[in-house]
Amino acid sequence: MSTQSWIYTALSKSDAFRKWLHRALCAWERPVYNGYKDPEVMALIKQVCRESDMRITTAEAFALYAVARAQRTVEGAYAEVGVYRGGSTKLIAEAKGDKPLHIFDTFAGLPDASAHDEGFFRKGMFAASLEAVQHYLADYPNLHFHPGWFPETAAPVAEENFAFVFLDVDLYQSTKDGIAFFYPRLSPGGVLMTHDYQFPGVRRAFEEAGLVPQVIELANAMAMVVKR
Ligand SMILES: C[S@@+](CC[C@H](N)C(=O)[O-])C[C@H]1O[C@@H](n2cnc3c(N)ncnc32)[C@H](O)[C@@H]1O
């Protein structure tokens, strides 16, 4: 068993330990990055981390915000699949300006993992309340919620083009479905960003789509491709 598999197996035993470790990592990263990143963005990330049990680290959150903000200059809407309690969604909502943001999640947690995924994931993990997330994000304009199982929920945006898409779905099949739906709909210069690129299922989905040669790996488990 790899060190990484061992860590994830250990983390899967206890939600409390997982949350404690995540908070500790957020707290540890802050001083490291605070020194040379925009202090307002760092304060926002710190606040979101506190409020929402956000499942990305501080360095990942900064990369998410920075890329989402830059994509304002590209034609098309924004989308996120994998919202949980809305932490990463809030960062995208802060960065997007007036762009529409399409928000996809089961809100019942993860679907079944496949044979390509790490044993860490369980069905129903990261379940969250749709109403609570809507309330959390109520101040942001032009948000569109599509609760339910993606890609079944994608029909209302089938005619859209996208400037920025963030996938944070943990699993092979959900990542594969996300790439298959969104990559052809990205505008030229559009970005498809993913979390969890270190997981074999997520990486496999990018391999099968033929996108690995153009993947740009970012902080920690973040990666992205730019549509050419
Ligand atoms: C790790 S959580 C997202 C964390 C969030 N981005 C954050 O940073 O706080 C993964 C989410 O993906 C969602 N998810 C995974 N596969 C899905 C699918 N096929 N359709 C809809 N939601 C899915 C789960 O419900 C879960 O909320």
Side-chain angles (χ1 to χ4, degrees):
M1 190 185 259
S2 70
T3 310
Q4 190 185 51
S5 301
W6 184 89
I7 290 168
Y8 283 115
T9 305
L11 288 176
S12 71
K13 305 273 185 239
S14 159
D15 276 359
F17 178 59
R18 197 164 44 75
K19 280 184 187 159
W20 174 85
L21 183 69
H22 181 71
R23 289 215 182 93
L25 281 174
C26 276
W28 176 77
E29 274 192 325
R30 261 178 236 135
V32 175
Y33 287 94
N34 259 341
Y36 60 93
K37 298 285 195 227
D38 182 333
E40 278 186 29
V41 179
M42 292 314 298
L44 171 69
I45 290 169
K46 182 175 168 182
Q47 178 194 332
V48 171
C49 218
R50 256 197 329 264
E51 292 169 344
S52 72
D53 187 31
M54 183 166 62
R55 306 312 303 162
I56 57 176
T57 67
T58 307
E60 291 171 338
F62 194 91
L64 174 65
Y65 178 90
V67 176
R69 193 177 161 89
Q71 290 306 103
R72 282 194 210 186
T73 56
V74 172
E75 189 267 321
Y78 280 38
E80 181 184 41
V81 189
V83 168
Y84 181 41
R85 294 189 185 165
S88 51
T89 323
K90 180 162 174 164
L91 295 179
I92 299 168
E94 286 276 345
K96 77 180 182 61
D98 296 334
K99 296 264 196 189
L101 170 56
H102 294 281
I103 295 167
F104 296 90
D105 203 296
T106 62
F107 295 99
L110 294 178
D112 278 320
S114 73
H116 302 309
D117 295 303
E118 290 273 359
F120 170 62
F121 297 111
R122 300 185 304 272
K123 188 173 181 181
M125 203 169 179
F126 306 119
S129 152
L130 168 63
E131 291 71 28
V133 176
Q134 286 173 325
H135 179 71
Y136 180 51
L137 301 171
D139 290 343
Y140 296 96
N142 222 350
L143 304 190
H144 305 277
F145 287 84
H146 305 277
W149 186 70
F150 184 90
E152 284 181 0
T153 48
V157 299
E159 302 306 318
E160 297 255 12
N161 289 324
F162 291 88
F164 179 77
V165 176
F166 180 47
L167 303 179
D168 186 6
V169 288
D170 301 339
L171 302 175
Y172 165 74
Q173 190 61 49
S174 299
T175 306
K176 191 174 171 72
D177 291 340
I179 295 170
F181 183 82
F182 284 112
Y183 191 74
R185 290 174 173 82
L186 285 180
S187 305
V191 163
L192 174 73
M193 198 167 186
T194 190
H195 192 227
D196 305 315
Y197 193 65
Q198 87 282 18
F199 286 133
V202 172
R203 192 177 287 253
R204 186 185 182 96
F206 277 83
E207 276 163 11
E208 289 178 359
L211 290 174
V212 168
Q214 70 192 73
V215 165
I216 301 166
E217 293 200 44
L218 302 168
N220 303 347
M222 285 290 205
M224 64 180 232
V225 290
V226 182
K227 183 71 177 279
R228 302 206 177 103

